[in-house]
Amino acid sequence: MRVNGKPQRSIFVDPETGAVCIVDQTLLPHRYEIRRLETLDEFINSIRHMWVRGAPLIGATAAYGMALAIRADSSDASLDDAGRRLPLARPTAVNLAWAVKRMTAVLRPTPCNARAETAMAAAGAIADEDVAINSSIGEHGLELIRAIAAHKAPGEKINILTHCNAGWLATVDWGTATAPIYKAHDAGLPVHVFVDETRPRNQGASLTAWELGNHGVPHTLIVDNAGGHLMQLGMVDLVIVGTDRVARNGDVCNKIGTYLKALAAHDNGVPFYVAAPSPSIDFDLADGGAIPIEFRGEEEVTHISGHSAEGRLETVRIAPTGTRALNPGFDVTPARLATSLITERGIVAANSAALSKMFPERVAGRL
Ligand code: MRU
Protein backbone atom coordinates (compact mmCIF):
# COMPACT_ATOMS: atom_id res chain seq x y z
CA MET A 1 0.00 0.00 0.00
CA ARG A 2 1.06 3.63 -0.04
CA VAL A 3 2.47 5.85 2.68
CA ASN A 4 2.66 9.52 1.77
CA GLY A 5 2.01 8.47 -1.82
CA LYS A 6 4.93 5.99 -1.95
CA PRO A 7 4.44 2.19 -2.28
CA GLN A 8 5.46 0.52 0.97
CA ARG A 9 5.55 -3.00 2.37
CA SER A 10 5.60 -3.69 6.10
CA ILE A 11 8.86 -5.66 5.78
CA PHE A 12 11.45 -5.33 3.02
CA VAL A 13 15.10 -5.78 2.19
CA ASP A 14 17.03 -2.55 1.63
CA PRO A 15 18.49 -3.10 -1.87
CA GLU A 16 21.61 -1.06 -1.03
CA THR A 17 22.62 -2.55 2.33
CA GLY A 18 20.84 -5.93 2.28
CA ALA A 19 19.38 -5.09 5.71
CA VAL A 20 15.88 -6.26 6.61
CA CYS A 21 13.69 -3.27 7.45
CA ILE A 22 10.36 -3.07 9.27
CA VAL A 23 7.91 -0.38 10.30
CA ASP A 24 7.99 0.01 14.11
CA GLN A 25 4.28 -0.43 14.78
CA THR A 26 4.54 0.52 18.45
CA LEU A 27 5.06 4.15 17.34
CA LEU A 28 2.08 4.43 14.99
CA PRO A 29 -0.01 6.43 14.32
CA HIS A 30 2.12 9.23 15.75
CA ARG A 31 5.48 8.38 14.21
CA TYR A 32 6.34 6.42 11.07
CA GLU A 33 9.76 4.94 11.67
CA ILE A 34 11.64 2.23 9.82
CA ARG A 35 13.93 -0.02 11.89
CA ARG A 36 16.68 -2.31 10.65
CA LEU A 37 16.83 -5.83 12.02
CA GLU A 38 20.18 -7.59 11.92
CA THR A 39 20.66 -10.21 14.62
CA LEU A 40 18.48 -13.17 15.58
CA ASP A 41 17.84 -11.51 18.96
CA GLU A 42 16.57 -8.39 17.21
CA PHE A 43 14.15 -10.47 15.13
CA ILE A 44 12.89 -12.30 18.22
CA ASN A 45 12.46 -9.03 20.12
CA SER A 46 10.69 -7.36 17.20
CA ILE A 47 8.04 -10.11 17.34
CA ARG A 48 7.90 -10.40 21.15
CA HIS A 49 7.58 -6.65 21.73
CA MET A 50 5.23 -6.22 18.77
CA TRP A 51 7.24 -3.80 16.68
CA VAL A 52 5.85 -6.22 14.09
CA ARG A 53 2.59 -8.03 14.76
CA GLY A 54 -0.27 -9.68 12.91
CA ALA A 55 -0.04 -13.35 12.01
CA PRO A 56 1.23 -13.19 8.40
CA LEU A 57 3.80 -10.49 9.18
CA ILE A 58 5.04 -12.44 12.19
CA GLY A 59 5.57 -15.40 9.81
CA ALA A 60 7.46 -13.32 7.24
CA THR A 61 9.60 -11.73 9.97
CA ALA A 62 10.49 -15.16 11.35
CA ALA A 63 11.49 -16.29 7.84
CA TYR A 64 13.84 -13.32 7.45
CA GLY A 65 15.10 -13.93 11.00
CA MET A 66 16.10 -17.47 9.97
CA ALA A 67 17.70 -16.06 6.81
CA LEU A 68 19.83 -13.52 8.68
CA ALA A 69 20.82 -16.08 11.33
CA ILE A 70 22.03 -18.33 8.50
CA ARG A 71 23.79 -15.45 6.76
CA ALA A 72 25.78 -14.93 9.98
CA ASP A 73 26.45 -18.64 10.57
CA SER A 74 25.31 -21.29 8.11
CA SER A 75 26.00 -24.32 10.35
CA ASP A 76 23.41 -26.91 11.43
CA ALA A 77 23.83 -25.64 15.00
CA SER A 78 22.81 -22.13 13.93
CA LEU A 79 19.82 -23.48 11.98
CA ASP A 80 18.71 -25.49 15.01
CA ASP A 81 19.17 -22.53 17.33
CA ALA A 82 17.10 -20.15 15.19
CA GLY A 83 14.48 -22.86 14.58
CA ARG A 84 14.15 -23.46 18.33
CA ARG A 85 14.15 -19.84 19.56
CA LEU A 86 12.02 -18.00 17.00
CA PRO A 87 8.78 -19.97 17.59
CA LEU A 88 8.96 -19.09 21.29
CA ALA A 89 8.61 -15.35 20.58
CA ARG A 90 4.78 -15.45 20.53
CA PRO A 91 2.52 -18.51 20.84
CA THR A 92 -0.81 -17.95 19.09
CA ALA A 93 -0.26 -17.09 15.42
CA VAL A 94 0.53 -20.38 13.68
CA ASN A 95 2.24 -18.52 10.81
CA LEU A 96 5.34 -18.24 13.00
CA ALA A 97 5.81 -22.00 13.39
CA TRP A 98 4.71 -22.52 9.78
CA ALA A 99 7.39 -20.16 8.42
CA VAL A 100 10.12 -21.64 10.61
CA LYS A 101 9.19 -25.19 9.52
CA ARG A 102 9.17 -24.21 5.88
CA MET A 103 12.55 -22.44 6.11
CA THR A 104 14.03 -25.41 7.95
CA ALA A 105 12.71 -27.85 5.34
CA VAL A 106 14.39 -25.81 2.58
CA LEU A 107 17.67 -25.19 4.40
CA ARG A 108 18.38 -28.55 6.06
CA PRO A 109 19.22 -30.38 2.80
CA THR A 110 21.08 -27.36 1.37
CA PRO A 111 24.91 -27.49 1.65
CA CYS A 112 26.19 -24.97 4.22
CA ASN A 113 28.05 -22.87 1.64
CA ALA A 114 24.84 -22.31 -0.34
CA ARG A 115 22.54 -21.75 2.63
CA ALA A 116 22.83 -17.94 2.96
CA GLU A 117 21.64 -17.27 -0.58
CA THR A 118 18.96 -19.99 -0.46
CA ALA A 119 17.66 -18.66 2.86
CA MET A 120 17.24 -15.07 1.61
CA ALA A 121 15.46 -16.35 -1.50
CA ALA A 122 13.17 -18.60 0.59
CA ALA A 123 12.27 -15.75 2.96
CA GLY A 124 11.64 -13.45 0.00
CA ALA A 125 9.37 -16.12 -1.52
CA ILE A 126 7.33 -16.32 1.72
CA ALA A 127 6.95 -12.53 1.72
CA ASP A 128 5.97 -12.38 -1.97
CA GLU A 129 3.53 -15.28 -1.56
CA ASP A 130 1.87 -13.45 1.32
CA VAL A 131 1.24 -10.46 -0.93
CA ALA A 132 -0.23 -12.69 -3.66
CA ILE A 133 -2.38 -14.62 -1.16
CA ASN A 134 -3.82 -11.44 0.31
CA SER A 135 -4.50 -9.97 -3.10
CA SER A 136 -6.50 -13.11 -3.98
CA ILE A 137 -8.39 -12.91 -0.68
CA GLY A 138 -9.19 -9.35 -1.71
CA GLU A 139 -10.61 -10.46 -5.06
CA HIS A 140 -12.82 -13.13 -3.48
CA GLY A 141 -13.95 -10.79 -0.73
CA LEU A 142 -14.69 -8.08 -3.29
CA GLU A 143 -17.32 -10.36 -4.84
CA LEU A 144 -19.04 -10.68 -1.44
CA ILE A 145 -19.10 -6.91 -1.09
CA ARG A 146 -20.41 -6.52 -4.66
CA ALA A 147 -23.23 -8.95 -3.85
CA ILE A 148 -24.25 -6.83 -0.85
CA ALA A 149 -24.00 -3.62 -2.91
CA ALA A 150 -26.33 -5.17 -5.50
CA HIS A 151 -29.13 -5.14 -2.92
CA LYS A 152 -28.67 -1.47 -2.11
CA ALA A 153 -29.65 1.75 -3.81
CA PRO A 154 -26.94 3.11 -6.14
CA GLY A 155 -24.33 4.97 -4.07
CA GLU A 156 -25.70 3.69 -0.76
CA LYS A 157 -22.94 2.96 1.79
CA ILE A 158 -21.80 -0.60 2.49
CA ASN A 159 -20.92 -0.72 6.19
CA ILE A 160 -18.22 -3.18 7.19
CA LEU A 161 -17.12 -3.78 10.77
CA THR A 162 -13.62 -5.02 11.54
CA HIS A 163 -11.74 -5.88 14.72
CA CYS A 164 -8.06 -5.40 15.58
CA ASN A 165 -5.73 -4.74 12.67
CA ALA A 166 -5.80 -7.33 9.92
CA GLY A 167 -4.57 -4.71 7.49
CA TRP A 168 -1.43 -4.36 5.40
CA LEU A 169 0.55 -3.64 8.54
CA ALA A 170 -0.38 -7.10 9.85
CA THR A 171 0.78 -8.76 6.64
CA VAL A 172 3.46 -7.97 4.08
CA ASP A 173 0.95 -6.05 1.97
CA TRP A 174 -2.81 -5.64 1.34
CA GLY A 175 -3.87 -7.14 4.68
CA THR A 176 -6.31 -10.01 4.95
CA ALA A 177 -9.56 -8.51 6.27
CA THR A 178 -8.75 -5.18 4.63
CA ALA A 179 -7.86 -6.56 1.18
CA PRO A 180 -11.53 -6.86 0.10
CA ILE A 181 -12.13 -3.38 1.54
CA TYR A 182 -9.23 -1.80 -0.37
CA LYS A 183 -10.26 -3.59 -3.57
CA ALA A 184 -13.89 -2.51 -3.16
CA HIS A 185 -12.87 1.09 -2.47
CA ASP A 186 -10.52 1.09 -5.46
CA ALA A 187 -13.33 -0.34 -7.62
CA GLY A 188 -15.50 2.65 -6.68
CA LEU A 189 -17.86 0.88 -4.26
CA PRO A 190 -18.96 3.19 -1.43
CA VAL A 191 -17.52 1.18 1.49
CA HIS A 192 -17.40 2.57 4.99
CA VAL A 193 -15.63 0.79 7.85
CA PHE A 194 -16.52 0.69 11.55
CA VAL A 195 -13.15 0.23 13.24
CA ASP A 196 -13.20 -1.44 16.67
CA GLU A 197 -10.62 0.33 18.85
CA THR A 198 -9.46 -3.11 20.12
CA ARG A 199 -8.39 -2.69 23.70
CA PRO A 200 -6.00 -3.21 25.32
CA ARG A 201 -3.39 -2.34 22.68
CA ASN A 202 -5.76 -0.43 20.42
CA GLN A 203 -4.60 -1.88 17.11
CA GLY A 204 -7.86 -0.69 15.54
CA ALA A 205 -7.57 2.89 16.77
CA SER A 206 -3.87 3.29 16.07
CA LEU A 207 -3.21 1.03 13.07
CA THR A 208 -6.41 0.24 11.13
CA ALA A 209 -7.65 3.83 11.34
CA TRP A 210 -4.20 5.06 10.20
CA GLU A 211 -4.09 2.65 7.26
CA LEU A 212 -7.62 3.33 6.06
CA GLY A 213 -7.06 7.07 6.40
CA ASN A 214 -3.88 6.88 4.33
CA HIS A 215 -5.74 5.06 1.59
CA GLY A 216 -8.74 7.39 1.73
CA VAL A 217 -11.22 4.73 2.86
CA PRO A 218 -14.08 6.32 4.87
CA HIS A 219 -14.12 4.92 8.40
CA THR A 220 -15.42 5.60 11.90
CA LEU A 221 -13.72 4.52 15.12
CA ILE A 222 -15.97 2.84 17.70
CA VAL A 223 -15.35 1.46 21.17
CA ASP A 224 -15.23 -2.31 21.33
CA ASN A 225 -18.56 -2.48 23.11
CA ALA A 226 -20.47 -0.56 20.42
CA GLY A 227 -20.50 -3.22 17.68
CA GLY A 228 -23.49 -5.21 18.98
CA HIS A 229 -25.57 -2.07 19.34
CA LEU A 230 -24.77 -0.93 15.79
CA MET A 231 -25.73 -4.36 14.48
CA GLN A 232 -29.08 -4.18 16.29
CA LEU A 233 -29.68 -0.82 14.62
CA GLY A 234 -29.02 -2.36 11.19
CA MET A 235 -25.92 -0.22 10.71
CA VAL A 236 -23.53 -3.10 9.83
CA ASP A 237 -23.85 -5.01 6.54
CA LEU A 238 -21.03 -7.45 7.19
CA VAL A 239 -18.16 -8.17 9.53
CA ILE A 240 -14.73 -9.14 8.22
CA VAL A 241 -11.97 -10.10 10.65
CA GLY A 242 -8.56 -11.72 10.31
CA THR A 243 -7.24 -14.75 12.13
CA ASP A 244 -4.15 -15.93 13.95
CA ARG A 245 -5.00 -19.60 13.61
CA VAL A 246 -7.87 -21.62 12.16
CA ALA A 247 -8.21 -25.19 13.42
CA ARG A 248 -9.03 -28.08 11.06
CA ASN A 249 -12.73 -27.93 12.01
CA GLY A 250 -12.95 -24.21 11.16
CA ASP A 251 -12.77 -22.78 14.69
CA VAL A 252 -11.19 -19.34 14.41
CA CYS A 253 -8.73 -17.81 16.84
CA ASN A 254 -8.33 -14.04 16.58
CA LYS A 255 -7.77 -10.97 18.72
CA ILE A 256 -9.64 -10.95 22.02
CA GLY A 257 -13.18 -9.68 21.50
CA THR A 258 -13.68 -11.31 18.11
CA TYR A 259 -15.94 -13.98 19.66
CA LEU A 260 -18.29 -11.34 21.07
CA LYS A 261 -18.58 -9.73 17.63
CA ALA A 262 -19.37 -13.13 16.11
CA LEU A 263 -22.10 -13.73 18.72
CA ALA A 264 -23.63 -10.31 18.07
CA ALA A 265 -23.46 -10.85 14.30
CA HIS A 266 -25.12 -14.25 14.63
CA ASP A 267 -27.90 -12.84 16.80
CA ASN A 268 -28.57 -10.07 14.30
CA GLY A 269 -28.25 -12.03 11.06
CA VAL A 270 -25.16 -10.08 10.01
CA PRO A 271 -22.71 -12.12 7.84
CA PHE A 272 -19.45 -12.77 9.72
CA TYR A 273 -16.51 -13.52 7.44
CA VAL A 274 -12.98 -14.51 8.40
CA ALA A 275 -10.18 -13.65 5.97
CA ALA A 276 -7.97 -16.72 6.36
CA PRO A 277 -4.78 -17.15 4.33
CA SER A 278 -3.79 -20.83 4.13
CA PRO A 279 -0.59 -20.43 6.22
CA SER A 280 -2.91 -19.42 9.10
CA ILE A 281 -4.79 -22.74 8.90
CA ASP A 282 -3.43 -25.35 11.28
CA PHE A 283 -4.35 -28.74 9.88
CA ASP A 284 -2.63 -30.43 12.84
CA LEU A 285 -5.20 -29.09 15.31
CA ALA A 286 -8.58 -30.83 15.38
CA ASP A 287 -10.38 -27.89 16.99
CA GLY A 288 -9.85 -24.48 18.55
CA GLY A 289 -9.69 -25.80 22.11
CA ALA A 290 -6.02 -26.69 21.72
CA ILE A 291 -4.88 -23.32 20.34
CA PRO A 292 -2.36 -21.74 22.73
CA ILE A 293 -3.72 -18.38 23.85
CA GLU A 294 -1.15 -15.70 24.63
CA PHE A 295 -1.57 -13.96 28.00
CA ARG A 296 0.12 -10.57 28.05
CA GLY A 297 1.20 -8.17 30.79
CA GLU A 298 -1.25 -6.63 33.26
CA GLU A 299 -0.03 -3.10 32.51
CA GLU A 300 -1.60 -3.28 29.01
CA VAL A 301 -4.97 -3.29 30.82
CA THR A 302 -4.26 -1.07 33.83
CA HIS A 303 -2.54 1.61 31.72
CA ILE A 304 -3.12 3.36 28.42
CA SER A 305 -0.65 5.08 26.09
CA GLY A 306 -1.04 7.95 23.71
CA HIS A 307 0.47 11.21 22.51
CA SER A 308 0.18 14.40 24.52
CA ALA A 309 -0.65 17.71 22.86
CA GLU A 310 3.11 18.43 22.97
CA GLY A 311 3.78 15.30 20.91
CA ARG A 312 5.21 13.21 23.77
CA LEU A 313 4.32 9.52 23.98
CA GLU A 314 2.86 9.09 27.45
CA THR A 315 1.53 6.13 29.39
CA VAL A 316 -0.98 6.76 32.16
CA ARG A 317 -2.60 4.49 34.74
CA ILE A 318 -6.39 4.14 34.41
CA ALA A 319 -7.03 1.60 37.20
CA PRO A 320 -6.44 2.06 40.93
CA THR A 321 -2.92 1.24 42.06
CA GLY A 322 -2.86 -2.37 43.13
CA THR A 323 -5.80 -3.52 40.98
CA ARG A 324 -4.87 -6.79 39.30
CA ALA A 325 -5.69 -7.41 35.62
CA LEU A 326 -6.02 -10.48 33.39
CA ASN A 327 -5.02 -10.03 29.78
CA PRO A 328 -5.78 -12.88 27.34
CA GLY A 329 -4.71 -11.67 23.90
CA PHE A 330 -6.95 -13.89 21.78
CA ASP A 331 -10.20 -15.84 21.82
CA VAL A 332 -11.71 -18.65 19.78
CA THR A 333 -14.85 -18.18 17.72
CA PRO A 334 -16.58 -21.54 17.15
CA ALA A 335 -16.83 -22.50 13.48
CA ARG A 336 -20.65 -22.46 13.65
CA LEU A 337 -20.57 -18.65 14.10
CA ALA A 338 -18.49 -17.99 10.98
CA THR A 339 -20.56 -17.48 7.83
CA SER A 340 -17.53 -18.56 5.75
CA LEU A 341 -13.79 -18.19 5.50
CA ILE A 342 -12.29 -16.11 2.69
CA THR A 343 -9.13 -17.89 1.55
CA GLU A 344 -6.83 -17.26 -1.40
CA ARG A 345 -8.55 -20.14 -3.21
CA GLY A 346 -12.04 -18.87 -2.63
CA ILE A 347 -14.85 -18.73 -0.09
CA VAL A 348 -15.01 -21.90 1.98
CA ALA A 349 -17.32 -23.19 4.71
CA ALA A 350 -15.71 -23.32 8.15
CA ASN A 351 -15.61 -27.08 8.51
CA SER A 352 -13.14 -29.89 8.18
CA ALA A 353 -14.52 -31.46 4.99
CA ALA A 354 -14.59 -28.18 3.06
CA LEU A 355 -11.15 -27.06 4.25
CA SER A 356 -9.56 -30.43 3.46
CA LYS A 357 -11.10 -30.42 -0.01
CA MET A 358 -9.78 -26.93 -0.70
CA PHE A 359 -6.25 -27.57 0.66
CA PRO A 360 -5.55 -31.31 0.12
CA GLU A 361 -1.77 -30.78 0.03
CA ARG A 362 -1.81 -29.21 3.48
CA VAL A 363 -3.76 -32.18 4.86
CA ALA A 364 -1.01 -34.34 3.36
CA GLY A 365 1.53 -32.33 5.38
CA ARG A 366 3.06 -30.13 2.66
CA LEU A 367 3.83 -26.57 3.81
O1 MRU B 1 -1.67 -9.18 18.84
P1 MRU B 1 -1.65 -8.88 17.37
O2 MRU B 1 -1.74 -7.43 17.06
O3 MRU B 1 -0.49 -9.57 16.68
O4 MRU B 1 -2.98 -9.56 16.86
C1 MRU B 1 -3.32 -9.47 15.48
C2 MRU B 1 -4.62 -10.07 15.17
O5 MRU B 1 -5.29 -10.66 15.99
C3 MRU B 1 -5.03 -10.04 13.71
O6 MRU B 1 -6.42 -9.89 13.60
C4 MRU B 1 -4.61 -11.37 13.08
O7 MRU B 1 -3.26 -11.61 13.31
C5 MRU B 1 -4.87 -11.38 11.64
S1 MRU B 1 -3.72 -10.36 10.80
C6 MRU B 1 -3.95 -10.42 9.15
Side-chain angles (χ1 to χ4, degrees), residues 167-334:
W168 71 264
L169 288 165
T171 66
V172 179
D173 208 348
W174 281 112
T176 56
T178 55
I181 295 170
Y182 287 130
K183 298 236 175 193
H185 175 80
D186 292 352
L189 291 168
V191 283
H192 164 266
V193 184
F194 285 115
V195 177
D196 281 356
E197 62 177 350
T198 319
R199 276 284 285 156
R201 289 185 69 101
N202 293 315
Q203 289 95 327
S206 47
L207 304 178
T208 306
W210 180 82
E211 270 193 28
L212 294 174
N214 258 303
H215 200 76
V217 179
H219 60 282
T220 305
L221 184 63
I222 56 173
V223 297
D224 292 321
N225 296 329
H229 178 64
L230 298 187
M231 290 185 215
Q232 284 178 322
L233 294 179
M235 290 172 69
V236 179
D237 293 302
L238 74 162
V239 179
I240 312 181
V241 298
T243 180
D244 290 81
R245 193 184 300 228
V246 175
R248 199 166 63 225
N249 71 341
D251 286 351
V252 172
C253 184
N254 193 47
K255 179 55 58 193
I256 193 77
T258 303
Y259 172 48
L260 290 177
K261 294 299 134 67
L263 282 173
H266 190 256
D267 195 43
N268 290 282
V270 173
F272 182 92
Y273 291 105
V274 179
S278 61
S280 301
I281 305 173
D282 187 346
F283 283 91
D284 292 336
L285 277 194
D287 61 55
I291 295 175
I293 301 291
E294 175 179 33
F295 279 76
R296 299 187 59 86
E298 294 185 47
E299 68 294 340
E300 289 185 355
V301 181
T302 54
H303 291 67
I304 198 160
S305 300
H307 257 221
S308 68
E310 294 75 40
R312 273 193 312 274
L313 182 63
E314 285 179 1
T315 299
V316 295
R317 172 176 270 282
I318 55 170
T321 306
T323 295
R324 301 300 308 267
L326 188 67
N327 188 11
F330 299 89
D331 60 26
V332 176
T333 297

Side-chain angles (χ1 to χ4, degrees), residues 152-174:
K152 289 186 170 262
E156 195 185 342
K157 264 192 301 195
I158 304 138
N159 288 300
I160 303 169
L161 184 143
T162 192
H163 191 67
C164 194
N165 172 261
W168 71 264
L169 288 165
T171 66
V172 179
D173 208 348
W174 281 112

